[in-house]
Amino acid sequence: MATAFAEREREMRGVDVELVTGGTDPAEHVHESVVESMAECGFDIAGRTPREVTFEELQACDYVITMGCSAKDVCPASWAGENRDGDLDDPDGGDAVSVRDIRDEIRERVGSLFDELEGERRG
């Protein structure tokens, strides 16, 4: 969900930022409840496949934003970037309302992050 919202924000705002997506313990597939919830917002994520983020990818990032799983065990000790843990519930198994609530929270957080990045680039 976060990647889809971030891709849209990047495109809408014209912000030059590279997105790396992955999880520390990814599911085997995108959960149907998430696919349905994102479709309500105009996103087709049915064909996406969760993947594990690599140590090398994390080493090259300025920010690591997690949605509910800590990256502290996979972020390199010498890494100078910023880690923000979203501490959100896993939508798997949730009813439609709880999945929508998680989706909306992610959308809000992604938008706020892009507001922040734009402010840094201007400032």
Side-chain angles (χ1 to χ4, degrees):
M1 288 190 275
T3 300
F5 286 123
E7 289 167 345
R8 182 175 71 184
E9 289 290 334
R10 179 179 63 185
E11 182 179 326
M12 286 177 22
R13 297 174 187 237
V15 176
D16 183 23
V17 62
E18 180 182 353
L19 301 172
V20 175
T21 184
T24 56
D25 186 21
E28 292 183 19
H29 63 280
V30 178
H31 302 291
E32 189 59 34
S33 60
V34 171
V35 171
E36 292 170 5
S37 178
M38 292 300 286
E40 293 172 0
C41 295
F43 295 97
D44 179 4
I45 63 169
R48 296 192 186 199
T49 304
R51 60 179 284 278
E52 189 169 353
V53 67
T54 69
F55 174 86
E56 292 78 18
E57 288 171 325
L58 291 173
Q59 185 73 29
C61 292
D62 295 323
Y63 296 93
V64 172
I65 312 297
T66 59
M67 291 295 129
C69 56
S70 176
K72 67 182 176 185
D73 293 333
V74 293
C75 283
S78 61
W79 180 61
E82 183 177 334
N83 180 26
R84 298 181 188 180
D85 184 7
D87 195 28
L88 294 169
D89 292 332
D90 186 340
D92 183 28
D95 62 24
V97 172
S98 65
V99 174
R100 284 184 193 112
D101 289 345
I102 294 166
R103 176 202 65 203
D104 293 345
E105 180 66 24
I106 290 171
R107 176 178 31 211
E108 179 68 31
R109 291 181 189 199
V110 168
S112 294
L113 176 62
F114 272 81
D115 289 344
E116 183 181 326
L117 293 173
E118 282 186 314
E120 288 175 5
R121 296 197 191 314
R122 282 189 219 128

